[in-house]
C-alpha cells in the first residue's frame, strides 16, 4: 500500500489560497443587524415589480389526459410591487412562501395561484404581487394506425397578478410542436411537397377561470393540433408513418392558415375572453423561419 505523500487537507487548502475567517465586530444576531431594505426614505419612484425569476421548483399538475396527475418542474418568477418610500423588498420571503406551498402539495390550479399571489401581498406588505410559472406537461398519445402508446409533451405557462385596487388577472398559454406542409410546394410540384416542424403558441384569458371546468391545457392543445397538417407522435411504426405522411399531404397549411384556423376554434369557445395565436415554421428549404401572429379580444 502506497504511503500518503500529500500534506493534510487543511494544509492543501492553505497552499491553494484558503485563509482563516476574519474575526469581525459586526453583529451575528438577526435582530441586531442593520436592515437596509426597510430603511424608510423617499426613493424617487414606486416600482411595478421586483423579486426573483428563473426559480426551479417541483409542482403538481392535473390533466384531462393521462397521466391524470403528475409531478413536474416549474420555472417560477415571483415579484411584488414596491412603494416609493421603501428601499427594497425582503426577497427571502418569496422562496419561504414557495416552500410552504410545496410542503402542502403545490398543485398549480387557478385557486392555488390566486391564493399564492394574495399571500405574497400580505407577506411582503405591498399592494400588488405577480406569479408566473412555466412547466413541461406530459400526456399519453397513441399512434394513428397501430395505437402504439407513448408520452408526448408541450410547454405550458400560467401567470397570475393581484393588486388591492383591481383584484386578480390572469393569462395562460401553451407552446406545442406540429407538422405543417407547404401548400405552395404541393401546388407547384409534380410530386411531393416540403414540410417542416411548426411551433404554435397560444395565450388566452378566460371570463371566469375559477369556474372553467375542462382542462385549459387540453383546450389549447387541441386547438393547435387539430388545425395543423399533422400532430406529432412519440412512437411511429411504418403503417403509422404512412398515415401521418398522407394526412399532412391532405392538409397543407401556411403559417397564415394556422393562426386563422386556431383563432376560429378559440373564438367559438364561449369561455375564452381574449387570445393570441402565433405559428413559427422552421422552414426546411429556406434559411429563415416563417412566422404569423394574431390577437383578438371579444367585445
Amino acid at each position: 500500500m502506497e504511503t500518503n505523500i500529500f500534506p493534510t487537507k487543511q494544509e492543501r487548502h492553505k497552499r491553494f489560497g484558503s485563509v482563516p475567517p476574519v474575526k469581525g465586530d459586526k453583529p451575528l444576531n438577526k435582530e441586531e443587524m442593520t436592515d437596509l431594505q426597510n430603511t424608510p426614505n423617499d426613493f424617487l419612484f414606486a416600482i411595478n415589480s421586483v423579486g426573483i425569476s428563473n426559480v426551479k421548483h417541483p409542482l403538481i399538475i392535473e390533466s384531462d389526459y393521462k397521466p391524470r396527475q403528475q409531478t413536474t418542474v416549474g420555472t417560477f418568477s415571483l415579484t411584488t410591487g414596491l412603494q416609493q418610500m421603501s428601499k427594497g423588498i425582503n426577497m427571502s420571503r418569496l422562496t419561504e412562501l414557495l416552500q410552504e406551498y410545496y410542503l402542502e402539495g403545490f398543485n398549480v390550479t387557478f385557486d392555488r395561484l390566486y391564493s399564492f399571489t394574495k399571500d405574497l401581498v400580505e407577506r411582503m406588505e405591498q399592494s400588488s404581487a405577480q406569479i408566473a410559472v412555466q412547466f413541461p406537461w406530459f400526456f399519453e398519445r397513441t399512434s394513428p394506425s397501430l395505437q402504439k402508446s407513448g408520452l408526448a409533451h408541450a410547454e405550458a405557462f400560467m401567470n397570475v397578478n393581484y393588486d388591492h385596487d383591481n383584484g386578480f388577472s390572469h393569462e395562460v398559454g401553451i407552446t406545442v410542436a406540429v407538422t405543417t406542409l407547404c401548400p405552395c410546394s404541393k401546388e407547384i410540384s409534380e410530386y411531393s411537397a416540403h414540410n417542416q416542424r411548426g411551433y404554435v403558441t397560444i395565450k388566452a384569458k378566460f371570463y371566469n377561470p375559477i369556474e372553467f371546468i375542462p382542462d385549459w391545457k387540453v383546450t389549447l392543445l387541441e386547438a393547435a393540433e387539430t388545425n395543423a397538417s399533422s400532430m406529432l407522435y412519440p412512437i411511429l411504426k411504418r403503417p403509422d408513418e404512412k398515415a401521418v405522411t398522407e394526412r399532412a399531404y391532405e392538409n397543407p397549411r401556411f403559417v397564415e392558415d394556422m393562426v386563422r384556423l386556431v383563432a376560429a376554434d378559440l373564438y367559438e369557445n364561449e369561455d375564452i375572453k381574449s387570445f393570441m395565436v402565433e405559428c413559427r415554421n422552421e422552414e426546411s428549404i429556406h434559411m429563415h423561419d416563417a412566422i404569423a401572429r394574431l390577437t383578438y379580444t371579444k367585445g
Side-chain angles (χ1 to χ4, degrees):
M1 184 175 181
E2 294 184 3
T3 57
N4 191 349
I5 60 174
F6 294 140
T8 66
K9 189 168 186 176
Q10 184 177 7
E11 287 296 321
R12 295 199 297 270
H13 283 189
K14 184 177 179 181
R15 185 175 299 180
F16 280 85
S18 296
V19 296
V22 175
K23 195 169 185 179
D25 56 2
K26 291 190 177 181
L28 300 177
N29 297 324
K30 177 184 175 183
E31 293 74 17
E32 299 173 357
M33 295 178 177
T34 302
D35 189 353
L36 290 178
Q37 298 294 71
N38 285 325
T39 303
N41 206 331
D42 185 344
F43 293 101
L44 308 183
F45 294 97
I47 296 178
N48 297 103
S49 62
V50 54
I52 58 177
S53 64
N54 200 29
V55 181
K56 305 290 186 182
H57 217 273
L59 53 84
I60 300 168
I61 58 174
E62 306 283 347
S63 174
D64 285 352
Y65 285 169
K66 294 180 180 179
R68 304 293 185 185
Q69 187 181 83
Q70 60 190 269
T71 299
T72 187
V73 177
T75 301
F76 287 85
S77 172
L78 307 173
T79 56
T80 70
L82 182 62
Q83 300 161 1
Q84 182 174 330
M85 300 304 292
S86 298
K87 184 174 179 61
I89 65 169
N90 190 328
M91 291 195 182
S92 63
R93 295 179 184 177
L94 300 171
T95 47
E96 282 179 335
L97 187 60
L98 183 60
Q99 178 67 7
E100 290 174 18
Y101 270 71
Y102 164 71
L103 293 175
E104 295 172 2
F106 199 176
N107 192 326
V108 286
T109 62
F110 281 113
D111 277 331
R112 294 297 283 160
L113 292 184
Y114 277 26
S115 174
F116 191 100
T117 51
K118 196 167 185 179
D119 284 348
L120 266 186
V121 166
E122 296 173 359
R123 184 75 60 93
M124 305 300 288
E125 300 177 347
Q126 300 296 331
S127 61
S128 65
Q130 308 83 33
I131 179 171
V133 56
Q134 181 175 336
F135 52 89
W137 164 47
F138 292 88
F139 48 89
E140 189 174 293
R141 166 150 301 160
T142 54
S143 63
S145 294
L146 300 183
Q147 303 298 300
K148 294 287 185 178
S149 181
L151 285 179
H153 64 88
E155 285 292 320
F157 75 85
M158 302 178 74
N159 298 336
V160 171
N161 300 328
Y162 173 77
D163 69 66
H164 287 319
D165 295 330
N166 301 308
F168 293 101
S169 62
H170 75 281
E171 184 177 62
V172 297
I174 196 169
T175 296
V176 56
V178 297
T179 291
T180 55
L181 184 136
C182 178
C184 184
S185 174
K186 177 181 177 180
E187 180 67 26
I188 65 178
S189 301
E190 296 293 344
Y191 43 84
S192 189
H194 82 83
N195 59 74
Q196 53 270 320
R197 180 74 55 86
Y199 293 92
V200 180
T201 297
I202 302 173
K203 299 178 181 180
K205 296 178 182 178
F206 298 94
Y207 285 105
N208 193 334
I210 298 294
E211 296 182 3
F212 186 68
I213 302 302
D215 182 359
W216 63 266
K217 300 184 297 299
V218 171
T219 298
L220 302 188
L221 179 75
E222 291 181 347
E225 291 188 323
T226 59
N227 288 296
S229 298
S230 176
M231 63 180 65
L232 304 185
Y233 296 86
I235 299 175
L236 290 174
K237 308 297 282 186
R238 278 175 293 175
D240 300 307
E241 289 188 23
K242 172 180 168 62
V244 169
T245 301
E246 292 174 350
R247 172 177 168 77
Y249 195 77
E250 293 163 357
N251 295 276
R253 297 285 188 267
F254 290 124
V255 287
E256 299 94 328
D257 303 330
M258 281 296 302
V259 296
R260 285 168 169 158
L261 288 170
V262 174
D265 282 6
L266 300 175
Y267 178 86
E268 290 178 340
N269 189 312
E270 296 180 353
D271 293 303
I272 294 178
K273 180 180 180 180
S274 63
F275 55 82
M276 185 284 296
V277 185
E278 177 185 286
C279 182
R280 179 178 62 86
N281 284 347
E282 294 182 338
E283 294 288 291
S284 60
I285 63 171
H286 298 285
M287 292 293 290
H288 56 257
D289 292 349
I291 190 168
R293 186 180 300 110
L294 184 158
T295 61
Y296 191 87
T297 300
K298 297 178 183 178

